[in-house]
Amino acid sequence: MWLSLFRSVDRFSLLNFKYVVKELREIKVVNKHNKELVVDLLQSVVEIVTYGNKQDPMIFEYFMECQVLAEFLRVLKISRNSRIDIPLLQYLSIMIQNMDSEHAIYYCFSNDYINNIIEHQYEFNRGDLAQYYVSFLRAISGKVNRATLCLLVKVQGNSVVSFPLYDEALKFAFHEEKMIQTAIRSLALSIYYVCDDMVYQYITTPPVSKYFSDLVIRLREQCSHLDFLVQASEDVCIEHKRKQMFLQADKIADDLYYLKDILNIGESRLSRLVAENLLSSLVLPILQPLLHSSKRNVSNLSGVTSLYLVSRLLQVIDGKGMMDPVAGAILYLYFDSSVQDAIKDTATANHFTDSFSKRLNKMEEMTYSVSECEEESISCPPCQDSFCDKRSGLSAFLFSENQTLQLASLFLLLIVAEIKDLDCSLFPKIGLNGMHGADKNSFSRFLDQILNALLKVLASQTPFSAVIKWHTGWFLRKLLIGREECFHDHNLHLFNTSFEQSRQQLEKELDGCWFDHILDTLRNEWKSCTTVLEESFHSKDAFYILELAVSQITTDDDATTLSAWQRMVDSVKVFVLHLQLKSYMLRGNSLENPLLCQTESPASSSGQIHSSDVSSATFGSEVSLASGVPCRIAFSKAGIRDIYIIPVTTGTFGRLLLTEKHPFRSQRGVVLAIAPLAGLSPKIDDIHPTWLHLRIREFDPIFFTNIIKGSHSSMSSHGTDGKWTLGFQNADACEAARFLILKETRKQRSKVESLLSPLLHNDWPKDEWNGHDK
């Protein structure tokens, strides 16, 4: 033990360190023959220096005096295809990361050794060198502060002419590997936080400032790719398309949050540069589809993608200097000249260049030039209000027959209305500040039309998805807060029509193969619906806009139990939505779930004579055969078996037991299989009247729910149901078995229906609703 300890201490002695440095200096060339030796020497240097930095000042003094860092640079230069660069960078990173004194960091950054190692000509086209190099840069940036920054820049006169750490890092800014991209962004942010005026001037001046325009251009390319996915042909798998869209939207969000981090640093030159690029190269181009002229769409983005992108940008990037120009650009064309001038003045006040104002003028010219052509064939009276009633641009989307565009444009307008600290002088004439309770008259003029359009979505005979209707309900609740008086009779009639349709649809599901899951689904969806309806603007995931664009409704004759399950869940979702909206309209708050206090009692069983062990039987259980019906069934691997079927209902639970007589107890049987009564659909064979066919639900709702929970996708609806064919002694016995199964199924259904009846037949909350209706 003592020998081992002695060797350990001796290894980290100054004497040993001098020996290692001497050995390293004697290396004249690095090749594959001595690479291992050189790597060991470099490792020893780093380990001893790291130890000396904390335990032995003499070691670090010798490290500085002999300029050992110069040996690392020399090893790089004398390397001949030895690939010594990866371990060298790795060890240097470790050494720098472990330096915790200003004195040690100051020395390492002096004499340009670090800069020269950074600027060395590496061959990044092989192996994982890029990852180690970027890690090396990150290690350096982690030790940079205002005191040491000057050691890493090259200055001529009063200007920075080179910043190797930053310059070389930006070469990897758009690397294909996400980990490297993230590291470079973290490095850049750490530099921005410690920059002085000279370095900021260098960073925000061409050609270095091109990084920020490249960022926005890259972001715009990401947006174009997202739009490509949105507009992909219908033969593309919907679930795959949704997943690809989500991944692409996630990339865009990452870029937006990075730009937000840069803006939040608060340096005026940096913020101005980023904001200018965002407005001129991203915001205004993607707003083009929202203008009057769709023929001159310079961004080639679809309307739904443009609406999503602007909404997402407003959700992510805050700050008055950015929000006022963006909001002003969105509504610029709907104002008179005095308000348009105010928007331009706002941009000037926020230190934007003329490019933003020129962009706004160009938007105006493009729109008016097309408007003149259109007005030759369609006359339109002059607009008497700042927010023109003419259905063009954003207002055309707002009142579009396309529900996705309608909801997306409304979402964008409401986000604008909810922006805190917005320049209120820009927006009073359209009544958007009415969202905060002021000046409701102007907005109310459009509110009635918007409410009517939303209610038509709910009441439409077109089978819109439950997703679309939930989002429609979210908008209705947001618009009705504090504006219940705007819900006029014609809108109430539309809602009542829609409510009745949702009730009838849910009633139909009582005859479906999943009626036994309606109560559980209603309990689950009740909470989910309340959460969705009460979601705030800024927490609401704008991705739903894209989901609406690709949502499809299955209207074919798909008879699988999976498609039936999805249809039942959607029916419950829509019905719960109407109940909650009804409560918000009448009471101003959400309803408590009336089914939460209802519990099932095992004693509420059917009139059949069943032993208690039958109602609670599981696979392999031993049960009474007193109520069993004898028959035969053929198993693929076990051949034909003589069995008994026992249909049993207990409250809302119903099952069919397949049992085989116990070998030693004649009145007892062993459960071989269990199937839910709901969905069996017993049918006697057309050719063989002694055969009874049963459909078996193979789909597992619990597994399905766990798979899609928290994801942006749903499971594809391609599944096959199971099938049992039972053989009876004669046709009468077969018919009797069929009748018994149906009888038990009806009792189960009747119990479910009795629990749903207060909701389905409007007995709750009846008095308040009827009073409102009058």
Side-chain angles (χ1 to χ4, degrees), residues 542-554:
F543 184 74
Y544 86 89
I545 296 174
L546 303 181
E547 287 188 302
L548 297 183
V550 300
S551 61
Q552 290 188 351
I553 307 300
T554 303

Side-chain angles (χ1 to χ4, degrees), residues 527-564:
K527 181 178 180 180
S528 299
C529 182
T530 303
T531 301
V532 168
L533 291 177
E534 295 180 351
E535 197 172 14
S536 68
F537 288 101
H538 293 287
S539 63
K540 189 172 183 64
D541 190 350
F543 184 74
Y544 86 89
I545 296 174
L546 303 181
E547 287 188 302
L548 297 183
V550 300
S551 61
Q552 290 188 351
I553 307 300
T554 303
T555 58
D556 55 12
D557 297 327
D558 188 352
T560 64
T561 53
L562 173 54
S563 63

Side-chain angles (χ1 to χ4, degrees), residues 99 191 597 733:
M99 288 184 176
I191 289 175
C597 58

Side-chain angles (χ1 to χ4, degrees), residues 226-359:
L226 176 64
D227 190 58
F228 170 78
L229 295 173
V230 172
Q231 300 189 69
S233 59
E234 295 299 327
D235 58 351
V236 176
C237 173
I238 295 301
E239 301 309 322
H240 178 71
K241 180 176 180 178
R242 184 180 284 111
K243 180 179 180 181
Q244 293 299 109
M245 284 168 41
F246 176 71
L247 293 175
Q248 187 63 25
D250 200 42
K251 293 179 182 179
I252 292 172
D254 284 346
D255 289 348
L256 289 175
Y257 277 110
Y258 175 53
L259 292 169
K260 175 184 178 179
D261 289 340
I262 297 176
L263 290 170
N264 286 345
I265 291 173
E267 207 284 327
S268 59
R269 285 166 292 187
L270 195 59
S271 297
R272 175 184 175 183
L273 183 60
V274 172
E276 278 186 345
N277 278 288
L278 268 173
L279 289 169
S280 298
S281 300
L282 181 68
V283 175
L284 296 183
I286 64 178
L287 282 174
Q288 290 297 326
L290 310 183
L291 300 181
H292 190 80
S293 171
S294 60
K295 300 177 182 179
R296 301 182 66 178
N297 177 1
V298 299
S299 69
N300 295 318
L301 296 181
S302 64
V304 65
T305 305
S306 298
L307 290 165
Y308 164 77
L309 292 171
V310 180
S311 298
R312 196 72 184 102
L313 183 141
L314 290 175
Q315 284 183 315
V316 172
I317 298 182
D318 50 16
K320 186 176 178 63
M322 190 67 194
M323 304 305 277
D324 282 348
V326 173
I330 292 171
L331 301 167
Y332 179 78
L333 298 175
Y334 299 106
F335 294 103
D336 56 32
S337 58
S338 62
V339 181
Q340 289 179 346
D341 290 341
I343 294 175
K344 294 176 183 177
D345 291 342
T346 301
T348 303
N350 285 283
H351 308 291
F352 296 119
T353 62
D354 293 337
S355 60
F356 179 62
S357 296
K358 290 178 180 178
R359 280 274 192 171

Side-chain angles (χ1 to χ4, degrees), residues 571-591:
S571 297
V572 172
K573 282 177 178 285
V574 174
F575 182 69
V576 170
L577 168 67
H578 282 81
L579 285 177
Q580 289 289 24
L581 287 176
K582 178 178 172 181
S583 178
Y584 284 121
M585 293 172 188
L586 298 177
R587 302 175 173 182
N589 55 21
S590 62
L591 288 172

